[in-house]
Amino acid sequence: MASVYKESQPQSVKWESKMHCAVYVRDVGQWQRGQISRMVSETSAEVLLYDSGTEKTVEVSCLRKLEENMKNIRTLAIECSLTEIRPTGGSTQWTATVCECLSYYLTGAQVKIITQVCNQKHDVPCALPVKILCKDETGKTIDTSEYLIEQGLALRNRSSSKTPSLVNILEYDIENVTISESEQTLLKAYQSLPHSEMDEVYKSPIVPETKIFQALVSCIGGDGTIYIIPKSCETALNKLMAEIQNTFQGLGLLIPYCWKKGEACVVRGSDTMWYRAKIVEVRGSTLQVQYIDHGYIESIPQCHLYPTTFYTGIPPFCIPCQLYKTLPVSNSTFCVYICLDSSGSLRKRSHTGRAASCDSESLDKALKWCNKIVKTLPHLTNFKKELPCLAEYVDGLWYRAKVLSITQLVPVKILVQFVDYGTYLVAPTSRLRHIPLHLLKYPVQAVRVLLAGFKPASDDKNMERIPYSPEWSLKALWTMVDCVEGKSLSTVSPEVTISLYGDDRNLVHLKLVEMGLAELDE
């Protein structure tokens, strides 16, 4: 090609997509065969160099008509696809992270290609299905497909139950050389081994064999579960965290993904670090996830999650514990927060003892003003129990709250309660601010009450129970939440124990009785 095109001049040709051409590649100083993929502009085109497999955007002055005799020579680059794997996240497109990983390990490397073809013609894809064996940094031979699965960058292809028959084994270095008979035997034996589906559920954590060992309490769960990390595992955990950061940095936005409870994922936490996690609850645009190596639960926007099982062979480092022979004190009534409207007769006094004289509308206006100037307020540095503060909720807005406890030391996580709603949140210090003094004059809007008139069903067969009140099932809890959360209800008594009625004048707990989740209590 150099002898034919070296002295050639730019041609007056109307270049179009799919046209074959000779391309001068400036960065290597060579003429190569190519095909125009698309015209970028009148003066530039994107071409596929089909003897090397690369795509480049070049000026049209670098293009020439390809001689007919050069079209008859077969392409020197072979398009291949890795078999038995698929992208994570439910997408059909590989992420830039996977492509960069393959480029890093395979570009310029000497590899062994195991070509595989299905028995039926209609099963053969356009690209040649292959396995690629290469050597890692230690000199060990690895299967590229298996490596991508191990690193959480690919999933085993479930849709392919048939194993393609092995029809040819070639070693592609600088030239094709048939591998030895002993290697063929080993590779055929490898092909005959059953490859089970990748386990997409994390393994159980490993408990140290010694009865007495040192550990770091990473957090206390909302149900009283104590999560610990053995001191002997800290080095391995730090190493894993470093690998996760290197692997998942720079991930792009995902296409819409349908998340499911219990699904494994990696999460970009509020500290901008990536963690292994699993889905605890799916609630609209935000998801509740549990960091499996640390135990704590946090609400995270969907855009900060990536669906994949990362290092599934490594058990979680965090061990859930409970105190031996210790049960929580509970009763058979529902732990509910209500907010009285302006016509309610029950009036609460603020913690200063002054009578409440401002209604909720004035509080709303004051909070809107605080949200506008919140960046000027100092961060909270004192975490004394019951200390008033402003806290940022998952909706991005700031509300009145109080400190309950420190749940984690590294990084610091604080359990707070939003006093005007009754809800709880474990938040980093970056989401806590000093509260302006004038916000303290408004009475607390959420009042803690016990619901009367019903009790747990004696024949409720649901196995999942509320840890701190095991006489109630989780199904009963969520059914009650659906009955009362965010709704305008009425009460028959201003006392601490009340009965709640809906707009239809019926008791809200009758739904639980109808479903067999509760019984009437006289």
Side-chain angles (χ1 to χ4, degrees), residues 231-242:
K231 293 286 288 184
S232 59
C233 297
E234 283 188 334
T235 302
L237 175 57
N238 292 336
K239 181 180 178 182
L240 173 66
M241 287 297 296

Side-chain angles (χ1 to χ4, degrees), residues 151 238-248 310-311 314:
Q151 297 300 308
N238 292 336
K239 181 180 178 182
L240 173 66
M241 287 297 296
E243 291 186 17
I244 294 176
Q245 309 319 307
N246 292 334
T247 302
F248 284 90
F310 191 81
Y311 286 138
I314 301 177

Side-chain angles (χ1 to χ4, degrees), residues 11-28:
Q11 299 170 320
S12 178
V13 177
K14 183 180 180 181
W15 298 104
E16 298 177 349
S17 61
K18 305 298 184 183
M19 290 179 65
H20 293 267
C21 57
V23 185
Y24 183 67
V25 185
R26 295 183 186 276
D27 51 0
V28 294

Side-chain angles (χ1 to χ4, degrees), residues 266-436:
V266 288
V267 175
R268 191 180 183 93
S270 55
D271 58 357
T272 72
M273 298 278 285
W274 288 96
Y275 297 86
R276 295 195 298 172
K278 67 178 180 180
I279 305 298
V280 176
E281 199 69 42
V282 179
R283 294 183 180 180
S285 60
T286 59
L287 303 170
Q288 274 201 328
V289 301
Q290 183 173 38
Y291 298 81
I292 67 160
D293 293 312
H294 299 81
Y296 52 85
I297 294 176
E298 191 172 20
S299 295
I300 298 290
Q302 288 196 23
C303 60
H304 288 173
L305 275 74
Y306 201 84
T308 183
T309 48
F310 191 81
Y311 286 138
T312 52
I314 301 177
F317 288 92
C318 186
I319 303 173
C321 306
Q322 62 181 15
L323 296 176
Y324 183 58
K325 290 186 177 179
T326 304
L327 293 175
V329 176
S330 65
N331 52 40
S332 300
T333 56
F334 264 108
C335 301
V336 178
Y337 285 86
I338 64 172
C339 180
L340 300 176
D341 60 22
S342 57
S343 62
S345 59
L346 178 62
R347 286 294 181 183
K348 304 292 289 183
R349 292 182 178 271
S350 68
H351 76 287
T352 61
R354 294 177 298 174
S357 59
C358 301
D359 57 20
S360 59
E361 290 184 2
S362 298
L363 173 61
D364 289 340
K365 291 179 181 179
L367 282 173
K368 287 180 181 179
W369 175 81
C370 282
N371 272 271
K372 292 180 180 179
I373 56 95
V374 71
K375 291 184 178 180
T376 65
L377 300 176
H379 286 283
L380 200 67
T381 55
N382 182 4
F383 307 113
K384 183 179 178 181
K385 187 176 181 181
E386 299 293 322
L387 183 73
C389 64
L390 280 181
E392 184 183 20
Y393 193 55
V394 293
D395 59 1
L397 297 177
W398 295 75
Y399 300 92
R400 297 195 304 171
K402 66 178 179 179
V403 174
L404 295 183
S405 64
I406 299 175
T407 62
Q408 180 179 310
L409 294 176
V410 182
V412 177
K413 297 275 187 175
I414 308 298
L415 175 64
V416 299
Q417 184 182 29
F418 293 94
V419 296
D420 297 315
Y421 298 92
T423 52
Y424 298 87
L425 181 71
V426 175
T429 56
S430 60
R431 294 170 66 178
L432 303 177
R433 303 266 182 170
H434 280 268
I435 188 169

